[in-house]
Amino acid sequence: MGSITLKNVSKTFGEAKVIPSIDLEINNGEFVVFVGPSGCGKSTLLRLIAGLEDVSGGHIMIDGKDVTDAAPAERGLAMVFQSYALYPHMSVRKNIAFPLKMAKMDQAQIDKKVGDAARILNLTDYLERRPGQLSGGQRQRVAIGRAIVREPSAFLFDEPLSNLDAALRGTMRLEISDLHHQLKTTMIYVTHDQIEAMTMADKIVVLNRGNIEQVGSPLELYKTPRNLFVAGFIGSPKMNFLEGEYAKSKGAKTAGVRPEHIGLSKDSGLWSGTVTVAEHLGADTFLHLDVDGIGPITARAGGEFGASYGDKVFLTPDDSKLHRFDDKGLAIKA
Amino acid sequence: MARKVTTGARIGWTIAAWVVALLIFFPILYALITSFKTEQEAIAGFSLIPSGTFENYITVEEQRDYFTPFMNSVILSVGSTILALIVALPAAWAMAFAPTKRTKDILMWMLSTKMMPSVAVLLPIFIIFRNLGLLDTRIGLTVMLMLINLPIVVWMLYTYFREIPGEILEAARMDGAGIWQEIVYVLAPMGVPGIASTLLLNVILAWNEAFWTIQLTTTNAAPLTAFIASFSSPQGLFWAKLSAASTMAIAPILILGWFSQKQLVRGLTFGAVK
Ligand SMILES: Nc1ncnc2c1ncn2[C@@H]1O[C@H](COP(=O)(O)OP(=O)(O)OP(=O)(O)O)[C@@H](O)[C@H]1O
Ligand SMILES: [Mg+2]
């Protein structure tokens, strides 16, 4: 079991109020991702849940039990740190076995569990090595191994993939998702990479300056962002925000159009613009344009779109996918 | 860091390094050479070629007892180091892992006591020692040496402990380690190299300490520093014998240093070089 509830949780460091007040419900078995810009309090929130920081106010409950004042080990959670935080003087085997040894499990059982974890994570051949003799991806797997042997009620990950290269990040993303399907244990995952957030999460929590901006499934956040911040943060490339005449004509202070919701043509369209940068990725083409009477716009075409710097291109936004925001930055319901 | 170095530059640097090393080592080398000269040769002027006599060593051995000051040196340096460690470990620990606003100030204040000239407190210390009956006792001197080197030991241990990443300790806490298990399984093994080089350095510092050991002892507790000093006084100056006595006094620590140099270098450059 691993349901986690935050009630009115706040945190101040000295004078700085890093988290004003947060309420959050995490259901058993969910994969929850915290996203937000750097310094918004993601790690702090995770550490509060882990018990590595004391809350300044509010309550944390795990499976209905108030653990606000419980020590980290008593909460039954396992954490994977960004720096991996492996014990450098112990072999991989001893690293993975450490939490079991602390729990005074008998040796035969420890050996079995470490063996199982190593098999799941492809670490069997490396059990006798020290962390210093492993690659980044292998270290990451050891850190995960050390977390799974404990059979925690929830896993906490703090940007576990940010030290890996892009290719390895892609593989490890799949491995962690796969692990979640196998174990069906609650996972809380902190990242500022929105691709990780979109692909892995059951539920995304968007944080900004210690406040929750919106909670929802990846597609909910993509389709119905509650405000400008979420609209700009979720989706890549970023949503285009248009003000002035066009927005006014749609009855909004700001109109939001995602790059993928703009039709491109070389012959005709609602707007005309000049290409400033063209990014040809093969599968997609991203065009950065200077649109007459509107300003800079980013548009995406599926497949190859043959346009380059200086070319004239016509654009037509898909009105049915338009996002409208009022002067407070909140979304206007259709 | 891989950097291209031309052969010429490499040779240049090697020569420069040797010159500096020889300059630093020269006084010791010259003492060693002089100890194999006759007294006439020793005062005759600069010369690097001794006649190779062992006479000085024999005379020193006959005139004075080497064993007692040697044992005193061992007891004082090892004893004061162990004492210092007992006091400094918890202190450095607390400062590294539970720092407060004043931790830095306390460290600076401790270190600043090392900047004060020892003579300034000679009289009060002497009187305290006399009144407590600690003059010329091993216990008194062990405590004295411990106090003298304590700031350095605390400072070094603090620096080592600071190098241990906090996340590793947090990981141990998440893994269910209590404070003692955290110390035994994580901190101690990671701290041992640092503690070892601190120990070594302190033994060397204590072994070579000459001011207090000479001021506060006469015979019973006198270590090798006092043994050397005794050769420069009553019967006039005997350079060759003085050199022989010095060589005998520094030989043990030199050998210790030689065999532990890897540990020492690692210790002294810890943090600066990763
Ligand atoms: N121990 C601390 N003392 C004082 N301020 C802190 C402390 N830890 C974090 N903060 C502050 O709290 C804020 C949130 O930090 P946090 O590490 O939670 O951000 P984050 O969202 O994880 O950012 P990043 O994506 O860069 O990791 C930051 O402004 C940071 O400076
Ligand atoms: Mg962070």
Side-chain angles (χ1 to χ4, degrees), chain A residues 42-43 82 158-159 190:
Chain A
K42 306 180 292 287
S43 299
Q82 180 175 357
D158 191 355
E159 308 214 21
V190 165

Side-chain angles (χ1 to χ4, degrees), chain A residues 47 50 52 72-73 77-79 81 83 85-90 98-99 101-102 104 146 150, chain B residues 165-178 181-182 184-190:
Chain A
R47 293 167 57 80
L52 293 171
L77 310 174
M79 182 143 166
F81 294 85
S83 64
L86 300 176
Y87 309 118
H89 55 288
M90 296 184 199
F98 190 73
K101 190 169 160 190
M102 292 301 104
K104 304 215 163 53
R146 191 174 62 182
R150 295 181 53 196
Chain B
E167 281 198 344
I168 289 185
L169 303 183
E170 291 180 341
R173 238 163 279 162
M174 293 289 299
D175 283 344
Q181 291 161 321
E182 195 179 315
V184 172
Y185 293 114
V186 183
L187 263 167
M190 289 182 73

